[in-house]
Amino acid sequence: MLIIAASAANRKHRPMRMGGGSSLFLESAVLVVLLGCCILPPSARAAVHYYDFVLKETNFTRLCSSKSMLTVNDSLPGPVIRVHKGDTVYVNVYNHGSYGVTIHWHGVKQPRNPWSDGPEYVTQCPIEPGSNFTYEVIFSKEEGTLWWHAHSDWTRAGVNGAIVVYPKEGTTYPFEEPDGEEVVVLGSWYKGDVNEEVEEDLESGSDTPRSDAYIINGQPGDFCECSKDFTHRWSVDYGKKYIIRLVSAVMNAEMFFAIGGHNFTVVGMDGAYIKPLVTSFVMIAPGQTMDILVTANQSLGQYYMATRQYDSVKPDVTDYDKVNATAILQYTGNYTDTSAPLFPDTLPIYYDYKSAINFMSHIRSLANEEYPVDVPRNITTFMYITASMGEVEFVKNSTTKTGLASSLNNVSWVNPSTDVLMAYYRNLSGYFTTDFPDWPGKFFNFTADDVSDDYELAVQGTRVKMLNYNEEVEIVFQGTNVMDASEDHPMHLHGYAFYVVGAGYGNFDNETDPKSYNLVDPPEVNTVSLPKKGWVAIRFRASNPGVWLWHCHLDRHYSWGMTTVFIVKNGGTPETSIKEPPPYMPPCKDSSLQLRKSDAASSVEWNKGDV
Ligand SMILES: [Cu+2]
């Protein structure tokens, strides 16, 4: 193999101006040219890139209050990773912080390579302070926008950034090439030390903190105290077309997003293109990403890009974060405009359920010759999984207590002390069990207004679901109103993208509802919003062997156990089997932040119990 340094080759699509702090990271890129490249088509080339991520505490002042927080390379959001479809990236993570961290490459399928997927105690143990770990991030079919974030406790509030996947060299977009690009990362800001607060809340079984503001590219914007001078600004030239790479790194809420005076066209979601959708706003869940085309065709001036929470919990719940975070889109040129930036009057209000559902229901795959769909039609594994709030019992200081929890099929996930992947790969027993149920233990009217208290108690366990290689899987997620706590759950699967073939209100009906499935052009995503008091049906082919996490991407639900793991077995050949582990994986020590570890219980005892 011949390796020729060609860092300039990757900069072809570099934007004229970028959002997000991307100037502080170290990047080098080499183009790997296979021997005999000159006779191969351009699509046969793939580049290898190297990034250094230095995790360290950085000082921030937001909302008139200062704190230090772990970041990557001192920037919030962190560095943007830019690749072409099919490239590979090695990210060397140095932990100069004071606690262990892992990083997940959200939406990157990582074929056969769960070793670099990142979720703590699922595919690896934390990278401890003073040590480093190199992730091998393997891109395959993804194209568009993805992102990366910490996947240990709530550190991802400060450790996140965008990934932009350009078309393969020599190919182009399924739309007119934009003149420029803007990365927009939505996030959550907490004035305090969020990990410390969450740890206390999990220990005591109480509710977790609300954010103090939402942020756009690290800033809350003009409507927040002590913030106006630092609002993120994006300059555009009149007449040009731009692509916005929108990422929701928000911790615990779905968000509406709109731009004053400008409609736009959504052309991609979760690293796959969709049928162009012209809209005046989007609803984006934590974990989701979108590619949005916008033309600078309005009067020269300033326009707010604004985001606010879509609160699916209840219209009468008052303690959510009501901040309207803003950035400013400003036209270049010589003009005098002293008026305030235009706020988008199309931004839906907090509890606008109809607008949220309406937007989601219009997403369709491109589904053409160049971008075909491959929806499984011979389902060999069917699962019906309830997603619930509830409680668990735990023993603390020899006293049995109950605390808030969430669950899938009434099982509330507990992290093992050695990661599931290593335990599976090395055939170690006692760390997990393979009895995650295909059905809820009890059937009742899941979406009733007054669900009985009898259904509140979940069991804790480290229960995984085993899948044979290439199995065709359908899962219907069912929202419940247990504890009168129904809300949207952005369900995220690692290692895969899946097709969203159906969704609806109320309880899923396995006779009538499948008749309305879209098997022609369903969206292919890695995160789907399970609607409040409703259901969503997804399909995928289990063609990526490994250990893959499924979880709600609201961090409080993840911490409370709305999580399970799929282990996809090897397919019998080297090409269908998990890769060899890298020469070094971070060693496992006991985590300090685990969900209510009963002081008397061993990890083996947790794994028992009835559903
Ligand atoms: Cu959830």
Side-chain angles (χ1 to χ4, degrees):
M1 187 187 291
L2 188 69
I3 299 179
I4 300 172
S7 57
N10 286 300
R11 302 180 196 278
K12 189 176 124 196
H13 296 286
R14 281 286 163 96
M16 293 178 295
R17 188 187 162 87
M18 297 182 298
S22 56
S23 58
L24 292 170
F25 67 100
L26 317 166
E27 180 203 351
S28 58
V30 293
L31 185 65
V32 175
V33 182
L34 299 170
L35 206 58
C37 71
C38 309
I39 52 167
L40 293 173
S43 62
R45 292 191 217 127
V48 177
H49 312 254
Y50 298 90
Y51 286 78
D52 285 319
F53 276 20
V54 179
L55 284 162
K56 59 180 173 182
E57 292 284 325
T58 307
N59 293 322
F60 289 91
T61 301
R62 298 281 186 279
L63 311 173
C64 318
S65 162
S66 296
K67 71 165 181 177
S68 90
M69 180 173 73
L70 204 66
T71 62
V72 169
N73 301 352
D74 284 324
S75 71
L76 178 74
V80 179
I81 289 181
R82 289 189 159 85
V83 298
H84 289 265
K85 184 178 180 177
D87 289 354
T88 293
V89 180
Y90 290 94
V91 184
N92 200 347
V93 178
Y94 299 86
N95 189 353
H96 293 176
S98 55
Y99 55 92
V101 177
T102 67
I103 294 185
H104 168 54
W105 317 92
H106 185 116
V108 184
K109 298 181 184 79
Q110 300 270 34
R112 302 172 48 225
N113 188 32
W115 304 106
S116 281
D117 190 47
E120 188 181 50
Y121 297 110
V122 174
T123 63
Q124 71 169 98
C125 281
I127 306 163
E128 296 296 341
S131 66
N132 67 301
F133 177 61
T134 302
Y135 288 93
E136 179 187 26
V137 187
I138 303 172
F139 290 84
S140 51
K141 294 176 179 166
E142 309 85 357
E143 187 170 327
T145 305
L146 296 168
W147 66 302
W148 55 267
H149 60 84
H151 215 301
S152 37
D153 47 58
W154 286 29
T155 301
R156 79 173 178 86
V159 174
N160 60 68
I163 299 174
V164 179
V165 186
Y166 298 107
K168 247 182 208 243
E169 294 274 17
T171 69
T172 185
Y173 301 96
F175 43 81
E176 196 184 334
E177 177 142 350
D179 301 305
E181 175 181 272
E182 173 75 350
V183 173
V184 175
V185 179
L186 311 182
S188 304
W189 186 263
Y190 298 85
K191 283 184 182 174
D193 181 331
V194 73
N195 276 330
E196 212 169 83
E197 291 169 22
V198 170
E199 187 169 357
E200 284 170 18
D201 293 335
L202 293 180
E203 281 288 317
S204 65
S206 51
D207 200 0
T208 53
R210 301 281 183 271
S211 54
D212 295 296
Y214 294 109
I215 48 178
I216 299 180
N217 288 349
Q219 291 292 344
D222 284 8
F223 301 112
C224 292
E225 51 181 358
C226 305
S227 302
K228 204 169 186 311
D229 293 345
F230 309 100
T231 301
H232 176 76
R233 287 173 176 270
W234 173 32
S235 292
V236 300
D237 299 332
Y238 181 84
K240 288 195 171 165
K241 294 190 174 72
Y242 296 87
I243 185 165
I244 294 175
R245 309 289 192 169
L246 182 66
V247 173
S248 179
V250 166
M251 298 294 283
N252 279 299
E254 295 178 312
M255 304 298 288
F256 290 119
F257 173 85
I259 305 176
H262 294 72
N263 282 350
F264 44 70
T265 308
V266 186
V267 292
M269 190 177 256
D270 284 10
Y273 297 121
I274 62 167
K275 290 196 170 79
L277 177 59
V278 179
T279 178
S280 60
F281 74 94
V282 299
M283 195 284 277
I284 183 165
Q288 288 184 324
T289 51
M290 292 179 192
D291 302 281
I292 294 172
L293 299 181
V294 60
T295 303
N297 58 5
Q298 297 299 304
S299 310
L300 301 187
Q302 300 186 67
Y303 300 84
Y304 279 124
M305 298 194 282
T307 189
R308 67 162 69 110
Q309 177 167 349
Y310 161 49
D311 183 51
S312 69
V313 182
K314 278 191 226 172
D316 59 344
V317 169
T318 52
D319 65 339
Y320 57 91
D321 183 344
K322 293 195 179 61
V323 161
N324 291 279
T326 52
I328 296 173
L329 178 162
Q330 59 188 21
Y331 282 76
T332 56
N334 290 323
Y335 60 94
T336 330
D337 178 18
T338 52
S339 56
L342 181 68
F343 192 87
D345 58 5
T346 55
L347 188 69
I349 199 70
Y350 305 103
Y351 39 80
D352 188 345
Y353 183 72
K354 272 190 190 159
S355 288
I357 293 283
N358 189 32
F359 172 72
M360 284 190 288
S361 68
H362 281 85
I363 313 282
R364 296 280 184 279
S365 276
L366 262 187
N368 60 21
E369 232 167 73
E370 217 174 326
Y371 300 89
V373 293
D374 179 23
V375 186
R377 284 170 183 263
N378 302 303
I379 300 304
T380 54
T381 292
F382 177 82
M383 300 176 79
Y384 183 51
I385 303 179
T386 52
S388 269
M389 269 306 295
E391 291 186 327
V392 288
E393 284 182 345
F394 61 105
V395 179
K396 201 77 201 172
N397 302 327
S398 308
T399 314
T400 301
K401 295 181 171 184
T402 56
L404 286 174
S406 42
S407 62
L408 295 173
N409 273 350
N410 214 39
V411 181
S412 183
W413 175 267
V414 178
N415 279 333
S417 56
T418 290
D419 58 278
V420 176
L421 175 58
M422 189 58 81
Y424 170 65
Y425 195 78
R426 299 280 182 228
N427 218 1
L428 310 173
S429 63
Y431 294 98
F432 64 90
T433 55
T434 57
D435 56 347
F436 181 82
D438 290 349
W439 304 88
K442 291 172 184 164
F443 279 77
F444 55 94
N445 181 359
F446 299 116
T447 55
D449 286 336
D450 51 351
V451 176
S452 159
D453 298 351
D454 297 348
Y455 300 116
E456 283 179 12
L457 199 63
V459 295
Q460 290 188 291
T462 309
R463 301 184 181 193
V464 311
K465 169 70 182 175
M466 302 297 295
L467 289 172
N468 290 320
Y469 182 80
N470 257 351
E471 212 145 332
E472 300 200 356
V473 184
E474 178 175 326
I475 299 173
V476 175
F477 284 105
Q478 174 70 59
T480 84
N481 195 36
V482 173
M483 291 181 101
D484 200 15
S486 59
E487 72 176 296
D488 289 9
H489 298 291
M491 305 302 296
H492 171 51
L493 174 59
H494 291 216
Y496 288 87
F498 49 80
Y499 294 102
V500 181
V501 296
Y505 299 103
N507 297 310
F508 175 71
D509 183 321
N510 66 350
E511 284 184 0
T512 56
D513 287 325
K515 289 176 187 160
S516 66
Y517 281 180
N518 173 9
L519 303 179
V520 178
D521 58 359
E524 188 183 16
V525 295
N526 61 59
T527 305
V528 65
S529 197
L530 164 61
K532 172 190 175 75
K533 287 192 186 179
W535 57 270
V536 66
I538 66 104
R539 288 185 178 186
F540 66 99
R541 184 173 290 104
S543 55
N544 188 12
V547 170
W548 306 111
L549 185 68
W550 251 119
H551 65 104
C552 175
H553 221 287
L554 303 182
D555 267 42
R556 64 182 190 283
H557 291 175
Y558 178 52
S559 301
W560 284 333
M562 194 176 278
T563 302
T564 190
V565 163
F566 283 48
I567 295 181
V568 178
K569 294 182 192 169
N570 290 337
T573 64
E575 297 73 36
T576 59
S577 298
I578 297 179
K579 287 176 62 151
E580 288 285 311
Y584 170 82
M585 288 298 292
C588 296
K589 298 196 297 186
D590 259 333
S591 166
S592 59
L593 212 169
Q594 288 198 0
L595 182 68
R596 285 179 294 276
K597 180 178 178 179
S598 294
D599 41 19
S602 74
S603 63
V604 180
E605 283 165 342
W606 295 346
N607 298 341
K608 294 175 182 169
D610 277 333
V611 181

